[in-house]
């Protein structure tokens, strides 16, 4: 008998499962606030060269000084010497030559009408330093990648709940430290560690929730948890609008994780993991607790170690051999599957985050764009579930990627003054990419052979749970 039958015996999808999913979904609501946070904390405001003496000038004097010192429309350079002739009506450059310019020497002045403070205005990440903005986001994503690798392995050694509790604390602490960063270097370091914790939370939240779910409800629970991330994108837009200062915004989205850390101590460790880790007695106690919560106290009382082992004998039998990452490329068939899925994961995540993490390119209200980009995921995921069920995985995958690619590439040809059309095509592309994520998740779980996808540890060896092989998608979390 399989472990799924044991779950049905202690109540199936009962009160315990419902409460667990809700408790594990609450942090996911806040995950978008960290994943897409730099759309707001690193937003670039209109800027120009700051003049050292303009603080002592009156309004009209400032305008005259700007006219003679700062080239019109130039954000990064100023005149070497004042061009007084520009104050004359119908003036033309002396000798017909363009005046000499130089980089800004006294810093920059920023338009603070939308964002009162960002990391751009804090550390002047503009002009020659503008690449540092992308560096900060890249380091965060590098943390997500490394976190998937590190915490994915550690959760098989120390348990889902223990790692999840630690990741809640790490994300809350690193996010808080980020808000008090004195330098850009320390900010990048804390964001890197935040990305690691982000990946660990998603990995272990999904594992812990689905390992307590009966097989028949796992798809529904996975979809339900995915929609919490979608709602989180709406929440991010509201919080960012209410808190325009980047340090306070960073702090606001980080503090809730200390609450998640506190209540995570009452979460129940995966009984399936406990059995595979050789902790059968603890697994039995957890199962009896679940049965009691689900109103199956008598069934729980009848459980003993022999009954537990009989339910797990099929999965225990599959642990006689040890499987590693090399099994993903060991045979021609699996090698071809790994190659195709890696390409799909990379192309989907690359395009998805390329759109979702650079909202300012649309030259529209960034808060409204964030709401629209979050809203499109709702029908996109629903339509993908319908087409996957009634038409098929391959058709859905091909259509969503094709339409997304066409929409994004066509945007290159659309003039920048047609902002409504550009935004509509970007929204269409982002929705198709969200649907593509739904499909490739199913593909990854179904196409890999069971011996690779779900392998168990023999005595004395590590247990690797390939429910979805993390090397393939670790950098793409969350896959909703």
């Amino acid at each position: 008998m399989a472990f799924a039958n044991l779950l049905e015996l202690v109540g199936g999808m009962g009160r315990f499962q419902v409460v667990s999913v809700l408790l594990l979904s609450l942090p996911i609501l806040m995950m978008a606030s960290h994943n897409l946070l730099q759309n707001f904390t690193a937003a670039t405001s209109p800027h120009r060269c700051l003049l050292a003496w303009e603080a002592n000038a009156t309004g009209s004097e400032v305008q005259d000084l700007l006219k003679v010192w700062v080239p019109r429309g130039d954000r990064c350079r100023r005149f070497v010497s004042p061009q007084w002739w520009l104050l004359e009506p119908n003036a033309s450059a002396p000798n017909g030559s363009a005046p000499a310019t130089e980089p800004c020497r006294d810093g920059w002045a920023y338009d603070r009408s939308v964002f009162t403070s960002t990391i751009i205005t804090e550390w002047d990440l503009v002009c020659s330093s503008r690449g540092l903005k992308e560096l900060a986001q890249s380091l965060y994503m590098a943390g997500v990648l490394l976190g998937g690798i590190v915490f994915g392995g550690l959760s098989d050694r120390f348990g889902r709940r223990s790692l999840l509790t630690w990741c809640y604390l790490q994300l809350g602490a690193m996010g808080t430290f980020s808000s008090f960063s004195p330098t850009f270097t320390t900010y990048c370091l804390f964001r890197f560690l935040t990305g690691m914790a982000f990946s660990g939370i998603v990995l272990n939240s999904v594992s812990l929730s689905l390992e307590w779910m009966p097989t028949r409800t796992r798809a529904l629970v996975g979809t339900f948890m995915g929609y919490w991330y979608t709602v989180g994108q709406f929440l991010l837009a509201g919080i960012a609008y209410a808190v325009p200062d980047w340090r306070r915004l960073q702090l606001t989205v980080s503090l809730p994780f200390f609450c998640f850390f506190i209540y995570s101590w009452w979460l129940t460790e995966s009984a399936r993991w406990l059995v595979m880790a050789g902790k059968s007695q603890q697994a039995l106690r957890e199962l009896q607790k679940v049965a009691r919560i689900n109103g199956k106290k008598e069934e729980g009382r009848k459980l003993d170690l022999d009954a537990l082992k009989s339910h797990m004998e099929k999965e225990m039998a599959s642990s006689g051999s040890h499987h590693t990452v090399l099994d993903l490329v060991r045979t021609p068939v699996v090698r071809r599957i790994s190659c195709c899925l890696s390409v799909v994961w990379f192309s989907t995540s690359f395009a998805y985050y390329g759109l979702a993490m650079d909202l300012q390119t649309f030259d529209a209200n960034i808060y409204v764009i964030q709401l629209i980009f979050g809203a499109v995921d709702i029908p996109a995921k629903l339509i993908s579930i319908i087409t996957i069920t009634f038409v098929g995985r391959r058709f859905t995958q091909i259509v969503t990627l094709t339409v997304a690619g066409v929409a994004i590439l066509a945007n290159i040809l659309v003039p920048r003054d047609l902002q409504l059309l550009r935004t509509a095509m970007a929204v269409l592309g982002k929705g198709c990419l969200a649907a593509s994520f739904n499909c490739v998740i199913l593909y990854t779980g179904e196409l890999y052979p069971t011996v690779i996808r779900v392998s168990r540890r023999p005595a004395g060896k590590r247990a690797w749970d390939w429910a979805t092989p993390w090397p393939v998608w670790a950098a793409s979390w969350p896959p909703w």
Side-chain angles (χ1 to χ4, degrees):
M1 298 178 70
F3 185 72
N5 301 107
L6 188 58
L7 289 177
E8 294 290 352
L9 186 65
V10 297
M13 188 66 183
R15 286 192 297 269
F16 168 81
Q17 280 77 11
V18 171
V19 173
S20 294
V21 169
L22 289 175
L23 291 177
L24 290 168
S25 296
L26 277 175
I28 293 176
L29 182 67
M30 299 299 299
M31 300 308 282
S33 296
H34 280 276
N35 216 30
L36 306 176
L37 187 62
Q38 278 203 198
N39 276 329
F40 303 97
T41 59
T44 303
S45 302
H47 55 274
R48 59 168 175 79
C49 288
L50 179 67
L51 304 179
W53 51 84
E54 72 176 82
N56 299 322
T58 62
S60 59
E61 291 175 338
V62 169
Q63 295 303 316
D64 289 342
L65 285 172
L66 291 179
K67 186 175 293 186
V68 302
W69 276 106
V70 181
R72 179 175 296 181
D74 199 321
R75 296 183 171 188
C76 299
R77 301 186 70 83
R78 50 176 273 179
F79 294 123
V80 174
S81 58
Q83 305 298 307
W84 300 109
W85 58 270
L86 288 173
L87 296 178
E88 301 174 6
N90 303 319
S92 59
N95 303 323
S97 59
T101 60
E102 62 182 358
C104 300
R105 294 191 302 183
D106 302 310
W108 288 263
Y110 298 91
D111 179 356
R112 300 179 185 271
S113 60
V114 178
F115 303 100
T116 59
S117 174
T118 67
I119 65 170
I120 305 299
T121 62
E122 181 93 8
W123 294 303
D124 288 331
L125 306 183
V126 293
C127 299
S128 61
S129 300
R130 63 182 179 274
L132 295 178
K133 170 185 173 180
E134 283 71 27
L135 174 63
Q137 185 64 55
S138 297
L139 288 173
Y140 170 81
M141 295 306 294
V144 174
L145 172 62
L146 184 61
I149 297 172
V150 172
F151 291 121
L154 290 178
S155 67
D156 286 322
R157 171 169 292 185
F158 299 107
R160 283 48 165 142
R161 200 215 68 176
S162 299
L163 264 295
L164 184 60
T165 298
W166 169 258
C167 288
Y168 285 152
L169 178 61
Q170 179 174 324
L171 196 148
M174 295 302 105
T176 300
F177 292 161
S178 297
S179 68
F180 293 101
S181 298
T183 65
F184 179 70
T185 301
T186 56
Y187 171 80
C188 288
L189 174 62
F190 292 138
R191 284 290 288 169
F192 175 81
L193 295 174
T194 300
M196 288 188 64
F198 174 93
S199 195
I201 289 173
V202 178
L203 281 169
N204 290 288
S205 294
V206 173
S207 296
L208 192 57
S209 61
L210 296 187
E211 287 179 7
W212 276 113
M213 295 299 130
T215 305
R216 58 186 169 80
T217 63
R218 288 181 181 176
L220 179 62
V221 169
T223 303
F224 174 78
M225 294 182 74
Y227 272 115
W228 280 75
Y229 182 85
T230 298
V231 174
Q233 296 183 58
F234 290 93
L235 184 63
L236 172 61
I239 296 175
Y241 181 79
V243 187
D245 180 89
W246 81 268
R247 291 187 183 272
R248 294 178 181 176
L249 176 59
Q250 180 81 49
L251 187 63
T252 300
V253 300
S254 300
L255 289 179
F257 284 89
F258 290 109
C259 298
F260 305 146
F261 164 73
I262 292 172
Y263 78 59
S264 67
W265 290 95
W266 282 271
L267 295 175
T268 302
E269 181 59 89
S270 167
R272 182 169 166 270
W273 176 84
L274 288 170
V275 172
M276 305 317 301
K279 301 179 180 180
S280 299
Q281 192 65 48
Q282 184 180 347
L284 180 61
R285 290 196 299 269
E286 301 291 6
L287 284 166
Q288 289 173 338
K289 181 179 76 173
V290 171
R292 185 171 62 255
I293 295 173
N294 285 342
K296 300 285 185 178
K297 190 173 182 179
E298 287 301 319
E299 287 80 353
R301 188 175 299 167
K302 294 176 183 177
L303 280 177
D304 55 26
L305 289 177
D306 292 333
L308 179 60
K309 290 177 181 178
S310 69
H311 281 81
M312 294 292 293
E313 60 185 5
K314 182 177 179 180
E315 296 191 38
M316 294 290 287
S318 69
S319 65
S321 58
H322 184 54
H323 300 279
T324 68
V325 181
L326 294 178
D327 288 314
L328 296 174
V329 294
R330 195 176 299 280
T331 66
V333 174
V334 176
R335 192 158 52 240
R336 188 161 56 249
I337 292 173
S338 298
C339 181
C340 291
L341 287 178
S342 296
V343 170
V344 174
W345 273 108
F346 176 81
S347 58
T348 303
S349 59
F350 186 83
Y352 183 92
Y353 288 113
L355 289 173
M357 291 182 171
D358 196 16
L359 302 185
Q360 283 195 303
T361 58
F362 299 105
D363 294 330
N365 187 302
I366 192 171
Y367 304 106
V368 175
I369 292 293
Q370 178 64 60
L371 286 173
I372 294 173
F373 267 38
V376 73
D377 282 10
I378 298 175
K381 292 173 183 177
L382 181 61
I383 293 172
S384 71
I385 293 171
I386 295 173
T387 57
I388 286 170
T389 303
F390 296 102
V391 182
R393 277 82 163 140
R394 184 167 62 178
F395 173 83
T396 304
Q397 193 74 75
I398 292 172
V399 170
T400 53
L401 283 176
T402 301
V403 175
V406 170
I408 294 171
L409 289 175
N411 239 349
I412 300 174
L413 306 177
V414 178
R416 295 192 66 87
D417 56 333
L418 298 178
Q419 282 302 317
L420 183 60
L421 178 59
R422 287 175 58 83
T423 303
M425 295 183 70
V427 169
L428 173 62
K430 203 248 185 186
C432 289
L433 291 168
S436 176
F437 263 135
N438 264 13
C439 192
V440 73
I441 292 167
L442 285 176
Y443 254 142
T444 305
E446 293 172 349
L447 290 184
Y448 279 104
T450 304
V451 70
I452 294 177
R453 192 164 41 84
V454 184
S455 58
R456 304 288 175 255
R457 70 171 180 178
K461 293 187 177 181
R462 290 180 68 176
W464 294 98
D465 184 3
W466 299 105
T468 304
W470 50 258
V472 177
W473 47 250
S476 305
W477 281 102
W480 297 311

